[in-house]
Amino acid sequence: MKRLRYYVYVSTAKVDMLYGQIPPKLLRRLAVEAKVDLKVVSVAVQSPRAETSAYDRLDLVEAYLEREFDVSWMSEPAAWFRGDLGLRIAGYGEADKPTLMTGRDGDTVVALIGSAHHLIGHQAAPDMHRVGFSGLPSIFRLLQDTPPEWERQFNVRSWNTMPDRGSVTSDVLRVAEALTVPPMYCEFLARQLMRGTVTREDGRELTIVVGTPLYVAMSDRVPVDGEV
């Protein structure tokens, strides 16, 4: 039986973009492996593909990525990487704004940037013009001009200068450490945008991984005492 997930964030834009590129013959094979309803997929393989549900498409895209790409773990991220850690999520304000999900596991700090309208239960109105926030320029702008509601709710301050690629890892770490909203333990699959290191004043080197998530879901794993 296919495991149920309690999703927090699903990028339907990424799912649809990737789903449309899967070769039809491979799509049918993946459907069998992912245990997706073949009656639905048989229609999708011919035309139109949109007959599948959003979550069926996500399952098939995930299966495709696992089959065709090196999907790694967040501590040694490849182009696509998985993770499982406590994420502090900021961005439940306006649906046309970015959302930032960040957490730390040992010496690895993960920052996921996406669009708030992909947060489950926070969809935008059908007639609203949607703006994507899944690229590096979005996190650069976010660091330069932190949304006012984030400053009020999460004690995050803005930076007055546009960070370059060399300094953005330090700024990402400062934002991640400034968020005070309680963490939610989650699993995720994301596309890497950049990776760098920051050496702290105590000499400890941290790896900063910036990505954009395909999905984020509540984890079934129960964190131990003191773990975030």
mmCIF file of all heavy atoms in Angstrom, residues 62-97:
data_model
loop_
_atom_site.group_PDB
_atom_site.id
_atom_site.type_symbol
_atom_site.label_atom_id
_atom_site.label_comp_id
_atom_site.label_asym_id
_atom_site.label_seq_id
_atom_site.Cartn_x
_atom_site.Cartn_y
_atom_site.Cartn_z
ATOM 1 N N GLU A 62 8.253 12.074 -8.679
ATOM 2 C CA GLU A 62 9.218 11.619 -7.677
ATOM 3 C C GLU A 62 9.856 10.295 -8.100
ATOM 4 O O GLU A 62 11.075 10.105 -7.990
ATOM 5 C CB GLU A 62 8.540 11.474 -6.316
ATOM 6 C CG GLU A 62 9.501 11.102 -5.201
ATOM 7 C CD GLU A 62 8.829 11.089 -3.837
ATOM 8 O OE1 GLU A 62 7.582 11.210 -3.771
ATOM 9 O OE2 GLU A 62 9.551 10.950 -2.832
ATOM 10 N N ALA A 63 9.037 9.373 -8.607
ATOM 11 C CA ALA A 63 9.563 8.095 -9.083
ATOM 12 C C ALA A 63 10.514 8.297 -10.257
ATOM 13 O O ALA A 63 11.545 7.626 -10.367
ATOM 14 C CB ALA A 63 8.411 7.180 -9.483
ATOM 15 N N TYR A 64 10.179 9.235 -11.137
ATOM 16 C CA TYR A 64 11.035 9.535 -12.290
ATOM 17 C C TYR A 64 12.378 10.102 -11.839
ATOM 18 O O TYR A 64 13.440 9.701 -12.335
ATOM 19 C CB TYR A 64 10.322 10.508 -13.214
ATOM 20 C CG TYR A 64 11.152 10.957 -14.396
ATOM 21 C CD1 TYR A 64 11.402 10.091 -15.459
ATOM 22 C CD2 TYR A 64 11.688 12.233 -14.451
ATOM 23 C CE1 TYR A 64 12.163 10.488 -16.547
ATOM 24 C CE2 TYR A 64 12.453 12.641 -15.532
ATOM 25 C CZ TYR A 64 12.694 11.762 -16.586
ATOM 26 O OH TYR A 64 13.454 12.159 -17.651
ATOM 27 N N LEU A 65 12.360 11.024 -10.907
ATOM 28 C CA LEU A 65 13.605 11.612 -10.408
ATOM 29 C C LEU A 65 14.480 10.558 -9.742
ATOM 30 O O LEU A 65 15.702 10.537 -9.920
ATOM 31 C CB LEU A 65 13.289 12.739 -9.418
ATOM 32 C CG LEU A 65 12.635 13.996 -10.007
ATOM 33 C CD1 LEU A 65 12.255 14.961 -8.890
ATOM 34 C CD2 LEU A 65 13.550 14.674 -11.014
ATOM 35 N N GLU A 66 13.858 9.675 -8.967
ATOM 36 C CA GLU A 66 14.618 8.600 -8.316
ATOM 37 C C GLU A 66 15.247 7.666 -9.335
ATOM 38 O O GLU A 66 16.348 7.152 -9.131
ATOM 39 C CB GLU A 66 13.700 7.803 -7.384
ATOM 40 C CG GLU A 66 13.302 8.543 -6.120
ATOM 41 C CD GLU A 66 14.412 8.562 -5.076
ATOM 42 O OE1 GLU A 66 15.504 8.045 -5.344
ATOM 43 O OE2 GLU A 66 14.166 9.110 -3.987
ATOM 44 N N ARG A 67 14.577 7.458 -10.439
ATOM 45 C CA ARG A 67 15.055 6.530 -11.455
ATOM 46 C C ARG A 67 16.139 7.136 -12.341
ATOM 47 O O ARG A 67 17.123 6.479 -12.688
ATOM 48 C CB ARG A 67 13.869 6.087 -12.331
ATOM 49 C CG ARG A 67 14.214 5.065 -13.412
ATOM 50 C CD ARG A 67 13.028 4.850 -14.332
ATOM 51 N NE ARG A 67 13.280 3.818 -15.296
ATOM 52 C CZ ARG A 67 12.863 2.562 -15.203
ATOM 53 N NH1 ARG A 67 12.167 2.184 -14.153
ATOM 54 N NH2 ARG A 67 13.140 1.674 -16.141
ATOM 55 N N GLU A 68 15.983 8.404 -12.708
ATOM 56 C CA GLU A 68 16.834 9.017 -13.720
ATOM 57 C C GLU A 68 17.920 9.945 -13.159
ATOM 58 O O GLU A 68 18.823 10.329 -13.889
ATOM 59 C CB GLU A 68 15.965 9.816 -14.708
ATOM 60 C CG GLU A 68 14.913 8.975 -15.428
ATOM 61 C CD GLU A 68 15.526 7.930 -16.340
ATOM 62 O OE1 GLU A 68 16.583 8.215 -16.941
ATOM 63 O OE2 GLU A 68 14.957 6.820 -16.433
ATOM 64 N N PHE A 69 17.826 10.318 -11.885
ATOM 65 C CA PHE A 69 18.771 11.271 -11.321
ATOM 66 C C PHE A 69 19.389 10.713 -10.040
ATOM 67 O O PHE A 69 18.883 9.774 -9.449
ATOM 68 C CB PHE A 69 18.082 12.606 -11.013
ATOM 69 C CG PHE A 69 17.637 13.361 -12.236
ATOM 70 C CD1 PHE A 69 16.407 13.079 -12.825
ATOM 71 C CD2 PHE A 69 18.428 14.331 -12.796
ATOM 72 C CE1 PHE A 69 15.980 13.762 -13.950
ATOM 73 C CE2 PHE A 69 18.017 15.026 -13.929
ATOM 74 C CZ PHE A 69 16.803 14.741 -14.507
ATOM 75 N N ASP A 70 20.476 11.342 -9.632
ATOM 76 C CA ASP A 70 21.116 10.996 -8.373
ATOM 77 C C ASP A 70 20.482 11.841 -7.280
ATOM 78 O O ASP A 70 20.909 12.972 -7.019
ATOM 79 C CB ASP A 70 22.629 11.264 -8.457
ATOM 80 C CG ASP A 70 23.337 10.990 -7.140
ATOM 81 O OD1 ASP A 70 22.770 10.249 -6.310
ATOM 82 O OD2 ASP A 70 24.449 11.529 -6.934
ATOM 83 N N VAL A 71 19.428 11.325 -6.661
ATOM 84 C CA VAL A 71 18.761 12.039 -5.573
ATOM 85 C C VAL A 71 19.513 11.723 -4.283
ATOM 86 O O VAL A 71 19.521 10.584 -3.826
ATOM 87 C CB VAL A 71 17.279 11.629 -5.456
ATOM 88 C CG1 VAL A 71 16.612 12.371 -4.305
ATOM 89 C CG2 VAL A 71 16.550 11.910 -6.766
ATOM 90 N N SER A 72 20.157 12.744 -3.714
ATOM 91 C CA SER A 72 21.045 12.534 -2.577
ATOM 92 C C SER A 72 20.401 13.000 -1.274
ATOM 93 O O SER A 72 19.231 13.394 -1.242
ATOM 94 C CB SER A 72 22.354 13.284 -2.814
ATOM 95 O OG SER A 72 22.103 14.678 -2.890
ATOM 96 N N TRP A 73 21.185 12.978 -0.210
ATOM 97 C CA TRP A 73 20.739 13.449 1.092
ATOM 98 C C TRP A 73 21.207 14.881 1.278
ATOM 99 O O TRP A 73 22.165 15.328 0.655
ATOM 100 C CB TRP A 73 21.282 12.544 2.194
ATOM 101 C CG TRP A 73 20.638 12.772 3.540
ATOM 102 C CD1 TRP A 73 21.245 13.237 4.673
ATOM 103 C CD2 TRP A 73 19.278 12.539 3.897
ATOM 104 N NE1 TRP A 73 20.345 13.311 5.703
ATOM 105 C CE2 TRP A 73 19.128 12.888 5.255
ATOM 106 C CE3 TRP A 73 18.161 12.072 3.186
ATOM 107 C CZ2 TRP A 73 17.910 12.790 5.926
ATOM 108 C CZ3 TRP A 73 16.951 11.966 3.858
ATOM 109 C CH2 TRP A 73 16.834 12.322 5.213
ATOM 110 N N MET A 74 20.543 15.631 2.153
ATOM 111 C CA MET A 74 20.795 17.061 2.300
ATOM 112 C C MET A 74 22.208 17.394 2.769
ATOM 113 O O MET A 74 22.715 18.476 2.472
ATOM 114 C CB MET A 74 19.787 17.658 3.289
ATOM 115 C CG MET A 74 19.848 17.044 4.670
ATOM 116 S SD MET A 74 18.504 17.647 5.729
ATOM 117 C CE MET A 74 18.847 16.695 7.225
ATOM 118 N N SER A 75 22.857 16.481 3.471
ATOM 119 C CA SER A 75 24.212 16.754 3.959
ATOM 120 C C SER A 75 25.249 16.708 2.843
ATOM 121 O O SER A 75 26.330 17.302 2.958
ATOM 122 C CB SER A 75 24.593 15.767 5.067
ATOM 123 O OG SER A 75 24.459 14.437 4.599
ATOM 124 N N GLU A 76 24.940 15.993 1.749
ATOM 125 C CA GLU A 76 25.818 15.932 0.574
ATOM 126 C C GLU A 76 24.955 16.118 -0.662
ATOM 127 O O GLU A 76 24.804 15.203 -1.475
ATOM 128 C CB GLU A 76 26.563 14.583 0.526
ATOM 129 C CG GLU A 76 27.546 14.365 1.648
ATOM 130 C CD GLU A 76 28.752 15.293 1.567
ATOM 131 O OE1 GLU A 76 29.036 15.794 0.455
ATOM 132 O OE2 GLU A 76 29.396 15.523 2.604
ATOM 133 N N PRO A 77 24.374 17.295 -0.824
ATOM 134 C CA PRO A 77 23.324 17.469 -1.834
ATOM 135 C C PRO A 77 23.824 17.428 -3.268
ATOM 136 O O PRO A 77 24.834 18.023 -3.619
ATOM 137 C CB PRO A 77 22.758 18.856 -1.504
ATOM 138 C CG PRO A 77 23.908 19.578 -0.875
ATOM 139 C CD PRO A 77 24.640 18.535 -0.091
ATOM 140 N N ALA A 78 23.087 16.674 -4.085
ATOM 141 C CA ALA A 78 23.272 16.702 -5.533
ATOM 142 C C ALA A 78 22.250 17.703 -6.073
ATOM 143 O O ALA A 78 21.699 18.516 -5.338
ATOM 144 C CB ALA A 78 23.063 15.314 -6.125
ATOM 145 N N ALA A 79 21.993 17.648 -7.394
ATOM 146 C CA ALA A 79 21.021 18.575 -7.974
ATOM 147 C C ALA A 79 19.662 18.434 -7.287
ATOM 148 O O ALA A 79 18.994 19.425 -6.977
ATOM 149 C CB ALA A 79 20.899 18.328 -9.475
ATOM 150 N N TRP A 80 19.248 17.191 -7.042
ATOM 151 C CA TRP A 80 18.029 16.924 -6.276
ATOM 152 C C TRP A 80 18.424 16.274 -4.965
ATOM 153 O O TRP A 80 19.278 15.377 -4.942
ATOM 154 C CB TRP A 80 17.087 15.995 -7.041
ATOM 155 C CG TRP A 80 16.430 16.644 -8.222
ATOM 156 C CD1 TRP A 80 16.845 16.617 -9.522
ATOM 157 C CD2 TRP A 80 15.241 17.445 -8.206
ATOM 158 N NE1 TRP A 80 15.998 17.343 -10.320
ATOM 159 C CE2 TRP A 80 14.993 17.858 -9.541
ATOM 160 C CE3 TRP A 80 14.352 17.850 -7.209
ATOM 161 C CZ2 TRP A 80 13.910 18.647 -9.891
ATOM 162 C CZ3 TRP A 80 13.263 18.637 -7.551
ATOM 163 C CH2 TRP A 80 13.044 19.024 -8.884
ATOM 164 N N PHE A 81 17.834 16.712 -3.855
ATOM 165 C CA PHE A 81 18.204 16.151 -2.561
ATOM 166 C C PHE A 81 16.990 16.037 -1.641
ATOM 167 O O PHE A 81 16.020 16.774 -1.769
ATOM 168 C CB PHE A 81 19.308 16.979 -1.896
ATOM 169 C CG PHE A 81 18.905 18.383 -1.519
ATOM 170 C CD1 PHE A 81 18.460 18.686 -0.236
ATOM 171 C CD2 PHE A 81 18.984 19.418 -2.442
ATOM 172 C CE1 PHE A 81 18.095 19.975 0.120
ATOM 173 C CE2 PHE A 81 18.628 20.720 -2.101
ATOM 174 C CZ PHE A 81 18.181 21.001 -0.819
ATOM 175 N N ARG A 82 17.081 15.086 -0.732
ATOM 176 C CA ARG A 82 16.052 14.858 0.280
ATOM 177 C C ARG A 82 16.546 15.354 1.636
ATOM 178 O O ARG A 82 17.738 15.535 1.853
ATOM 179 C CB ARG A 82 15.717 13.370 0.392
ATOM 180 C CG ARG A 82 15.058 12.782 -0.833
ATOM 181 C CD ARG A 82 14.619 11.346 -0.549
ATOM 182 N NE ARG A 82 13.952 10.755 -1.692
ATOM 183 C CZ ARG A 82 12.684 10.975 -2.004
ATOM 184 N NH1 ARG A 82 11.942 11.768 -1.234
ATOM 185 N NH2 ARG A 82 12.142 10.411 -3.054
ATOM 186 N N GLY A 83 15.602 15.528 2.541
ATOM 187 C CA GLY A 83 15.952 15.888 3.899
ATOM 188 C C GLY A 83 14.854 15.498 4.854
ATOM 189 O O GLY A 83 13.726 15.195 4.444
ATOM 190 N N ASP A 84 15.181 15.508 6.129
ATOM 191 C CA ASP A 84 14.242 15.138 7.177
ATOM 192 C C ASP A 84 14.705 15.848 8.442
ATOM 193 O O ASP A 84 15.630 15.393 9.114
ATOM 194 C CB ASP A 84 14.249 13.618 7.362
ATOM 195 C CG ASP A 84 13.098 13.112 8.224
ATOM 196 O OD1 ASP A 84 12.442 13.945 8.868
ATOM 197 O OD2 ASP A 84 12.866 11.898 8.252
ATOM 198 N N LEU A 85 14.113 16.991 8.747
ATOM 199 C CA LEU A 85 14.542 17.762 9.910
ATOM 200 C C LEU A 85 13.490 18.772 10.317
ATOM 201 O O LEU A 85 12.503 18.976 9.611
ATOM 202 C CB LEU A 85 15.877 18.467 9.636
ATOM 203 C CG LEU A 85 15.906 19.770 8.827
ATOM 204 C CD1 LEU A 85 17.255 20.443 8.975
ATOM 205 C CD2 LEU A 85 15.612 19.526 7.370
ATOM 206 N N GLY A 86 13.699 19.404 11.471
ATOM 207 C CA GLY A 86 12.783 20.421 11.939
ATOM 208 C C GLY A 86 12.918 21.691 11.120
ATOM 209 O O GLY A 86 14.003 22.276 11.073
ATOM 210 N N LEU A 87 11.844 22.116 10.468
ATOM 211 C CA LEU A 87 11.864 23.315 9.636
ATOM 212 C C LEU A 87 11.063 24.428 10.308
ATOM 213 O O LEU A 87 9.922 24.220 10.730
ATOM 214 C CB LEU A 87 11.250 23.034 8.259
ATOM 215 C CG LEU A 87 12.019 22.115 7.314
ATOM 216 C CD1 LEU A 87 11.203 21.886 6.040
ATOM 217 C CD2 LEU A 87 13.389 22.709 6.962
ATOM 218 N N ARG A 88 11.674 25.604 10.371
ATOM 219 C CA ARG A 88 10.949 26.804 10.769
ATOM 220 C C ARG A 88 10.411 27.436 9.486
ATOM 221 O O ARG A 88 11.179 27.743 8.585
ATOM 222 C CB ARG A 88 11.859 27.753 11.540
ATOM 223 C CG ARG A 88 12.189 27.245 12.939
ATOM 224 C CD ARG A 88 13.061 28.223 13.718
ATOM 225 N NE ARG A 88 13.084 27.889 15.125
ATOM 226 C CZ ARG A 88 13.920 27.007 15.683
ATOM 227 N NH1 ARG A 88 14.809 26.391 14.916
ATOM 228 N NH2 ARG A 88 13.871 26.735 16.969
ATOM 229 N N ILE A 89 9.104 27.610 9.430
ATOM 230 C CA ILE A 89 8.464 28.063 8.200
ATOM 231 C C ILE A 89 7.951 29.481 8.377
ATOM 232 O O ILE A 89 7.135 29.750 9.263
ATOM 233 C CB ILE A 89 7.301 27.125 7.807
ATOM 234 C CG1 ILE A 89 7.819 25.679 7.667
ATOM 235 C CG2 ILE A 89 6.645 27.589 6.510
ATOM 236 C CD1 ILE A 89 6.739 24.659 7.374
ATOM 237 N N ALA A 90 8.434 30.382 7.543
ATOM 238 C CA ALA A 90 7.987 31.772 7.548
ATOM 239 C C ALA A 90 7.346 32.065 6.206
ATOM 240 O O ALA A 90 7.820 31.613 5.170
ATOM 241 C CB ALA A 90 9.165 32.712 7.782
ATOM 242 N N GLY A 91 6.272 32.831 6.221
ATOM 243 C CA GLY A 91 5.658 33.204 4.957
ATOM 244 C C GLY A 91 4.208 32.832 4.837
ATOM 245 O O GLY A 91 3.706 32.604 3.738
ATOM 246 N N TYR A 92 3.502 32.727 5.975
ATOM 247 C CA TYR A 92 2.063 32.472 5.912
ATOM 248 C C TYR A 92 1.286 33.782 5.836
ATOM 249 O O TYR A 92 0.172 33.875 6.292
ATOM 250 C CB TYR A 92 1.606 31.675 7.145
ATOM 251 C CG TYR A 92 1.814 30.193 6.997
ATOM 252 C CD1 TYR A 92 2.944 29.577 7.527
ATOM 253 C CD2 TYR A 92 0.884 29.402 6.338
ATOM 254 C CE1 TYR A 92 3.144 28.209 7.405
ATOM 255 C CE2 TYR A 92 1.069 28.038 6.206
ATOM 256 C CZ TYR A 92 2.200 27.445 6.739
ATOM 257 O OH TYR A 92 2.386 26.097 6.610
ATOM 258 N N GLY A 93 1.898 34.796 5.240
ATOM 259 C CA GLY A 93 1.241 36.084 5.077
ATOM 260 C C GLY A 93 0.436 36.095 3.797
ATOM 261 O O GLY A 93 -0.443 35.266 3.582
ATOM 262 N N GLU A 94 0.758 37.016 2.900
ATOM 263 C CA GLU A 94 0.035 37.118 1.643
ATOM 264 C C GLU A 94 0.450 36.003 0.688
ATOM 265 O O GLU A 94 1.606 35.604 0.636
ATOM 266 C CB GLU A 94 0.304 38.482 1.014
ATOM 267 C CG GLU A 94 -0.167 39.648 1.876
ATOM 268 C CD GLU A 94 0.170 40.980 1.242
ATOM 269 O OE1 GLU A 94 0.027 41.099 0.010
ATOM 270 O OE2 GLU A 94 0.579 41.887 1.970
ATOM 271 N N ALA A 95 -0.532 35.522 -0.097
ATOM 272 C CA ALA A 95 -0.281 34.392 -0.990
ATOM 273 C C ALA A 95 0.641 34.730 -2.151
ATOM 274 O O ALA A 95 1.173 33.830 -2.800
ATOM 275 C CB ALA A 95 -1.608 33.853 -1.528
ATOM 276 N N ASP A 96 0.836 36.019 -2.432
ATOM 277 C CA ASP A 96 1.710 36.397 -3.544
ATOM 278 C C ASP A 96 3.120 36.752 -3.070
ATOM 279 O O ASP A 96 3.865 37.431 -3.762
ATOM 280 C CB ASP A 96 1.106 37.578 -4.314
ATOM 281 C CG ASP A 96 0.944 38.829 -3.455
ATOM 282 O OD1 ASP A 96 1.006 38.700 -2.205
ATOM 283 O OD2 ASP A 96 0.750 39.922 -4.021
ATOM 284 N N LYS A 97 3.500 36.252 -1.878
ATOM 285 C CA LYS A 97 4.815 36.518 -1.309
ATOM 286 C C LYS A 97 5.622 35.220 -1.247
ATOM 287 O O LYS A 97 5.093 34.130 -1.444
ATOM 288 C CB LYS A 97 4.682 37.125 0.093
ATOM 289 C CG LYS A 97 3.916 38.436 0.135
ATOM 290 C CD LYS A 97 4.614 39.541 -0.628
ATOM 291 C CE LYS A 97 3.860 40.852 -0.475
ATOM 292 N NZ LYS A 97 4.494 41.946 -1.258
#
